[in-house]
Structure formats: structure tokens, C-alpha cells
Amino acid sequence: MKSEELNLKWLAKDREKYLADDKNTVLRHALSASPFDNVVKSTDKAEDTQFVFSIDVETLPVTNQKRSGRCWIFSASNVLREIIAKKCNIKGQFEISQNYIAYFDKIEKFNYFAQSLIELCEQNAKHDDRKVAFLLSGVGDGGQWQMYVNLVKKYGIVPKSAMVETEQSSSTFASTRLCNAALREFASKIFKSWKANKDHDKLMKLKEDFVDKVYNILTSSFGLPPEKFDFEYIDKDNKYHIESGLTPIEFFNKYIGEDIDDFVSIIHAPTDDKQYNKTYSIEYVNNVYGGTPVTHLNVSFDRMEKAIINQLKDGEIVWFGSDVGNFGDREAGIWDTNIYDYMSAFKVNRVFDKADMLDFYQAAMNHAMCIVGVDLKRGKPIRWKIENSWGEASGKNGFYLMSEDFFKAFTFQAAVRKKYLVKEELDALNKEAKLLPPWDPFGTLAD
């Protein structure tokens, strides 16, 4: 038998070593009756996870994305609602309709994917071309900061009262699956059509029929978006206000407008293929066809932290993207690399070099939230306060704590105002971005 093959002799040797260590017996017994992470949970550094923060921005109550991957929409909307709430001195609960934005996001994404497939088809790409395969993996709920900006600048925003959640907007699996089936059927038709007659107009007619189907599915699922609405609220002096007959664009322009363009997506990508103070864009990672490309400015981790802290000091929360699939205790509301001890139990380190974790698919941005506080000791961050969108029953009334070690390892992106960037970083924004393939680690979407 070849030495490369797993054989019975090898397994017998492993069995002997396993049984010789009593620790393995204890672990096996514990794991037979307890959840995996509970067995390796550690409280050795519990004092570092107190919900106390030297900078703590007051915010409105947390939101709940429910059974959907719209965290990027919820967290970005939370940034905008805080701006509006301050301008209007709003008292109590106020939300921007996440359903309204998600509705147009889905329609735009399916149009974007369909048009991209047509372009690849006309370049004579094959059905199993890697880029075609990427698009055929389908549209999901996830997104990026710039994708949110593209939507609100085109369609505006409305209060949640103007377009409330539906069962389907809060649980998007079924409608998305049906639309993706339509997308793949559309792809099969255009590839056959192009092969037969090379007629661009026929492809566009097929696309028109496809988008009509998607429109009907999504409108039936999410509801009809309002053309006009009334904005009503109570301020902190208990005074009632109403603005009648606003359009979504009028509402956006009045309370946000060009201010949205003051935010920049910065990333920390320490991999060899990305330089600091350079901008990067990812092919096919967008929603609005013809919209502004999703572009990131790569900065060192220290610069990212400094910009975030300075924005918090000025009383503004920060949209950010992280990998939350590691070291999380949802009930306690904690992300901390010391909370589970996999090394002592199994000699496996789930945290290693950040560049290697990106290059070898151990970690990537997958969830967007808002940073609303930080605890500084001698000017250095110790822990971070996070506003999540998983409802008040999760964490500490919906808020989470993120340790500095976790933040360093698993935070990849933030949207900060330009005034917190230095000249070299601002200059980089005016240079052409390097285009990366869609399977780059920074092509992942927050959901």
C-alpha cells in the first residue's frame, strides 16, 4: 500500500495514542452529551468582557433582520436613521424601511446578473466558464456599503411605517430561490439563442421577459413600494410633527442627500496581492447596473482603528463588516477569541495569520453591523460595543461586545467619513481602482 494512502495500520496507531491519553476520554464523554462549543468554553478571561465602554454613543433601539440576509441594509439604515433622528430630535423608535431598500436591491441584482450573463454570452463564454458559474450561483440577500449607497441615491428612502415588513421580506429563502430558478432558465435560453443566431435583440427580449417575472415575484412577496408618504414623529420635547406627500427621493435628499457620499469603504487586507493606500474593486460584485462600482480603500489595521475611534469620539456610529462565524456566544452577546479553547482540547488554532486566513478561506467578511462604542485604556482599544440586527432577545438587548483580539482577527471593512482619512489615503481615492476577480476574498457579501 502506498504511504500516501490512509491505512488500517496508521489508524490503529492513532487509536492507541488516543486511548493512552485520559483527556481524550473525558472529552469524548463530555461531547456525547453537550454541544461542542460548550465543552471547550473558557471563562479564564471573563473580566475582559464586561459591558463597560469609555466611549458609548447613544442610539435608537436595535432592529431585527429576522430570517433574511439583509444585515448590510439594516446596519447602513441604522447609520442614516441616527443622522435623521439627530436632525429631527426624534424620540423613541424610528426605522428606515429595510423592506423598501431590499425590494429594489433584489430587482436591481437580478437585472445586473442577467445583463452580465448576456455580455459573457456574447463573448462566447461557455456555460461552465468560471465567471458564468459565479453568476449562476445566484442572487442572495447580501450586500456591501456602496451597494446600499447606489440604491438610496437612485430610489430614496422611506420610514418603516411607509413600507412595513412582510412574511416574505423577513424570510426571503422561497422568493429568492424562485427568482434564481428563473435566472438559470433565462441563462439557458440566451446561450442557446446566441449559439443559433447571434442576435443581440433576441437576448434583450428574453431579458425583458425575465425581469418582468422577477418584478412580479418580488412585488407579490415584498409589497408595492410607496410613491408618496407622510413622515410623522414625536420629538424629545413631546411635540408632534408631520410632513405630508413626500416622495422617497425628496425624503432622502432633505435629510441625507450628498452627505452619503462623504463615507468611504476602507478595508484591512494584509495579503500580498493588495497594497495599502490603494483602491480595489471586485468584478460582478454590485447590484445597480450602471451604478458606482463597489470600491475599497486598503489601509493598515492601525489606520482603520484610528478612523473608527475618531468617528465614535465625534458621536457618530460606524458601519463595519466582520466575520462572525468564529468565537461567538449569541446568548451572552460576545465575540472573543478567548471564549473557546480549541487549542487545549484539540491542538487546532482557529485564528492564525490574518493574510493566510483570507488567502486560504478560513475567514472573510460575512456580516455587517454598527460599532457604537469602544473601551479605551491608555488610548488603546480593549473592547468594542456592537449594535447588531438580530433583535433585542439576542445579546444584551441586541447589543454585542467584541474583544480587541477578535476585532483584529476578524474585522475587515468599515465605512468612515473622509475627514478621518490622511492625505495619502484621500489621494488614493482619486486613482483608478485595481479590478479583482469575483472570487477574491473581498468579493464576499454581508448577510
Side-chain angles (χ1 to χ4, degrees):
M1 186 174 288
K2 297 178 181 179
S3 61
E4 293 87 353
E5 295 179 3
L6 191 63
N7 56 62
L8 294 177
K9 185 176 181 181
W10 188 345
L11 294 175
K13 185 179 179 181
D14 274 348
R15 179 186 177 94
E16 183 179 353
K17 288 192 296 183
Y18 177 88
L19 293 173
D21 190 340
D22 289 342
K23 178 190 73 175
N24 292 326
T25 301
V26 174
L27 282 170
R28 188 172 72 254
H29 292 168
L31 288 168
S32 70
S34 303
F36 194 99
D37 282 348
N38 286 2
V39 173
V40 297
K41 191 170 184 178
S42 171
T43 58
D44 289 350
K45 295 187 177 182
E47 70 274 12
D48 294 336
T49 56
Q50 302 176 73
F51 270 76
V52 179
F53 307 92
S54 56
I55 299 173
D56 194 344
V57 181
E58 183 181 359
T59 64
L60 295 170
V62 297
T63 55
N64 193 343
Q65 68 188 80
K66 297 187 178 179
R67 299 177 305 280
S68 71
R70 299 172 293 161
C71 63
W72 61 287
I73 292 175
F74 275 71
S75 50
S77 295
N78 287 346
V79 172
L80 266 58
R81 73 167 176 165
E82 295 295 340
I83 295 172
I84 296 171
K86 286 179 181 178
K87 288 181 178 180
C88 298
N89 199 31
I90 290 176
K91 175 184 179 180
Q93 180 64 284
F94 164 65
E95 292 183 42
I96 291 169
S97 173
Q98 303 92 356
N99 185 19
Y100 177 83
I101 297 165
Y103 169 83
F104 286 111
D105 173 62
K106 278 290 178 66
I107 292 176
E108 287 282 1
K109 277 178 181 168
F110 279 109
N111 176 70
Y112 183 96
F113 273 45
Q115 190 61 40
S116 298
L117 284 166
I118 286 176
E119 291 171 2
L120 287 169
C121 179
E122 292 179 338
Q123 294 167 17
N124 295 315
K126 303 299 183 184
H127 74 278
D128 57 354
D129 177 271
R130 193 172 183 186
K131 291 180 180 180
V132 174
F134 173 83
L135 293 169
L136 292 180
S137 65
V139 166
D141 288 351
Q144 281 276 357
W145 173 262
Q146 185 58 50
M147 293 165 70
Y148 183 89
V149 175
N150 284 341
L151 291 167
V152 298
K153 290 179 72 173
K154 184 172 182 177
Y155 296 104
I157 56 177
V158 303
K160 190 168 187 175
S161 58
M163 189 170 180
V164 299
E165 291 288 305
T166 69
E167 173 62 26
Q168 303 310 315
S169 71
S170 297
S171 183
T172 55
F173 175 78
S175 60
T176 301
R177 179 179 59 181
L178 189 59
C179 289
N180 277 321
L183 175 70
R184 295 175 188 121
E185 183 187 27
F186 160 77
S188 70
K189 290 179 178 179
I190 62 169
F191 273 73
K192 288 177 182 177
S193 176
W194 184 253
K195 183 178 180 180
N197 50 50
K198 301 292 191 293
D199 188 330
H200 173 77
D201 290 340
K202 287 186 177 181
L203 302 189
M204 295 305 294
K205 180 60 172 66
L206 288 168
K207 178 191 160 186
E208 183 180 342
D209 293 341
F210 162 71
V211 173
D212 286 348
K213 289 180 183 179
V214 168
Y215 177 89
N216 289 339
I217 295 169
L218 295 175
T219 305
S220 296
S221 298
F222 292 5
L224 277 168
E227 296 179 338
K228 290 188 177 183
F229 61 90
D230 295 340
F231 177 38
E232 298 178 85
Y233 64 93
I234 304 293
D235 67 22
K236 292 181 179 178
D237 298 321
N238 289 320
K239 184 178 179 181
Y240 170 78
H241 299 261
I242 182 170
E243 296 179 63
S244 300
L246 290 171
T247 68
I249 285 291
E250 287 172 344
F251 185 55
F252 171 77
N253 287 338
K254 179 173 182 178
Y255 289 106
I256 303 296
E258 294 180 358
D259 198 26
I260 195 77
D261 294 320
D262 193 42
F263 292 92
V264 176
S265 171
I266 58 174
I267 60 172
H268 177 234
T271 51
D272 289 341
D273 64 332
K274 297 179 183 71
Q275 300 177 43
Y276 293 145
N277 299 325
K278 301 288 184 183
T279 56
Y280 297 89
S281 185
I282 300 92
E283 192 173 17
Y284 299 127
V285 175
N286 212 330
N287 52 357
V288 177
Y289 193 87
T292 302
V294 173
T295 303
H296 309 298
L297 170 65
N298 192 24
V299 299
S300 69
F301 187 77
D302 287 344
R303 285 292 308 131
M304 174 182 277
E305 275 201 331
K306 187 170 184 180
I308 291 170
I309 291 170
N310 285 339
Q311 188 159 311
L312 291 173
K313 285 180 175 179
D314 286 343
E316 279 202 271
I317 65 175
V318 180
W319 184 98
F320 83 117
S322 182
D323 184 336
V324 300
N326 296 280
F327 298 99
D329 183 336
R330 188 161 180 160
E331 183 177 351
I334 294 171
W335 284 294
D336 181 7
T337 54
N338 294 307
I339 201 170
Y340 300 115
D341 186 1
Y342 302 103
M343 278 295 292
S344 296
F346 299 107
K347 305 301 181 188
V348 174
N349 192 354
R350 290 183 62 180
V351 182
F352 44 95
D353 180 77
K354 192 170 185 177
D356 288 341
M357 287 199 296
L358 285 166
D359 283 341
F360 293 92
Y361 304 101
Q362 171 62 7
M365 192 276 289
N366 57 30
H367 188 51
M369 301 169 285
C370 291
I371 305 169
V372 300
V374 62
D375 193 39
L376 301 176
K377 295 291 189 295
R378 294 178 290 279
K380 299 293 183 181
I382 303 299
R383 51 182 169 260
W384 302 81
K385 184 179 180 183
I386 309 301
E387 179 186 30
N388 208 345
S389 55
W390 292 347
E392 292 185 348
S394 173
K396 300 287 186 182
N397 297 318
F399 292 90
Y400 278 65
L401 178 149
M402 190 174 283
S403 73
E404 171 66 0
D405 286 343
F406 184 98
F407 197 82
K408 284 181 178 178
F410 296 112
T411 292
F412 298 103
Q413 180 184 5
V416 299
R417 289 191 180 273
K418 292 177 183 177
K419 66 180 179 180
Y420 302 115
L421 303 179
V422 298
K423 183 179 184 303
E424 188 176 6
E425 293 162 351
L426 291 170
D427 289 344
L429 297 175
N430 297 319
K431 297 178 181 177
E432 184 177 357
K434 179 180 178 181
L435 185 64
L436 302 171
W439 44 85
D440 185 89
F442 281 85
T444 58
L445 302 178
D447 59 10

